Amino acid sequence: MWRDIWWVAVHTLKNTFRKRSSLLVYVGLPIIGVIGSIMLYGSAGQQVLRVGIANEDGSAVIAADTAAYVSSLQHVKTTLLSREELKKKLASADLDSGLILEKGYSDSMAAGKPEGIAIQSVKGQTVTAYIKGMLNAYLDNTAAISRAAGGDRAAFDKLYADYRGGGFKLETQQVADTSLTKAMSVQSIGFLILFMMTAAVNLSEIILKSREDRTYYRILSSPISARSYVLANVLVNIAVMVVQVAVALVALRYVFGVDPGLPIVQLGGMLILFALVSVSLSLVIVAFSKNSAVSGAMSNFIITPSCLLAGCFFPISIMPDTIRKIGDFMPQRWVLQSIDELQTGDTSRISINLAVLAAFALVFFLVAAYKFGRNNDTKTFV
């Protein structure tokens, strides 16, 4: 039996990959998916905020310190301008935001009643929120000093001078932001899942096509049984899935240098488990299809929408709660959820996720076997 299965599997592989276009479909598409994810996230990242500062309070210490504080913020590039120049540059979109410090601003800060400070932008709150948030902390500290001085300007100047002198030292260390590469890797896996499921259906359709061109019946006239023929197709399917996973992960990690945030072997193991789900689902589609046209229509109806709901194309966090709950019924979602949890170091639910994936595969295989066994259309498959 196993010799027959091996012979059919080798013969199927030779016929499938006789054309070079098959290599592109089954091996090249996962790499294209990785490249697509890199291009999608390549332009993302932290942008520099262009801020113009109009200091009309002259050489007043607090006004100068406020301007210096904004200039010291990360991802902010400041330019000192007059109020008129600031308005023109904001209108022409040469600046993202503008900070105006009016005359008397420093005195109002010393008196504990901040006035004469304004933030302007034609791009709305999405641009000004960062500057406002950071400035509020500085203004609150200055207001606290004013309250402590109790209206005594000399006491305020002394306390403020001590505050500026910095009686403490703060050391900072910059760490790499891995959120972008992790999101890139998850979306690459999402595209890989789509291509795996599509390839699985294409390979399982060989059973239908061989029945359409009568090859299937000629094989059954030999000592090879229908069960051996289907098992050989399953082995071919799994072998191609393993190659797809290996090629995609090697390209992602070692060719394009994207760190998925978890060991490659661990990630590959989860995807191979999902390969079983893909193969079993493809057998269900074939079992309920009378010909390859029906199979193609069913796969289009099932695979792409389910990948969309599961978050293969974009983060599921942006979806409504109702869609997220529907996505939990898709096997793809459990793979992506496992990757996300492993990236954050949470391994408490991994065993449950893998068990759910194994359950999906088992149920699909049982349904396919039952349907094949009940198929009385001229010949049974199993």
Side-chain angles (χ1 to χ4, degrees), residues 189-202:
I189 299 303
F191 286 117
L192 174 61
I193 286 173
L194 171 65
F195 297 139
M196 288 174 63
M197 298 182 74
T198 303
V201 173
N202 290 338

Side-chain angles (χ1 to χ4, degrees), residues 30-45:
I31 299 178
I32 295 175
V34 173
I35 296 174
S37 298
I38 293 175
M39 294 178 62
L40 181 64
Y41 283 88
S43 59

Side-chain angles (χ1 to χ4, degrees), residues 222-250:
S222 69
I224 299 175
S225 64
R227 182 178 287 104
S228 297
Y229 182 75
V230 174
L231 287 176
N233 182 272
V234 171
L235 289 180
V236 170
N237 225 325
I238 292 175
V240 173
M241 298 293 103
V242 171
V243 172
Q244 281 188 319
V245 169
V247 169
L249 294 185
V250 168

Side-chain angles (χ1 to χ4, degrees), residues 151-173:
D152 186 345
R153 183 58 186 263
F156 173 84
D157 291 340
K158 184 178 184 306
L159 290 173
Y160 187 76
D162 293 339
Y163 169 72
R164 292 182 66 200
F168 59 91
K169 183 179 180 181
L170 177 65
E171 293 184 358
T172 62
Q173 183 176 1

Side-chain angles (χ1 to χ4, degrees), residues 329-348:
F329 291 92
M330 310 300 168
Q332 305 95 310
R333 178 65 199 138
W334 293 89
V335 178
L336 298 176
Q337 182 174 296
S338 298
I339 296 173
D340 182 66
E341 291 174 354
L342 288 174
Q343 286 178 337
T344 58
D346 182 10
T347 60
S348 59

Side-chain angles (χ1 to χ4, degrees), residues 21-33:
S21 59
S22 298
L23 289 175
L24 177 62
V25 172
Y26 293 108
V27 181
L29 283 180
I31 299 178
I32 295 175

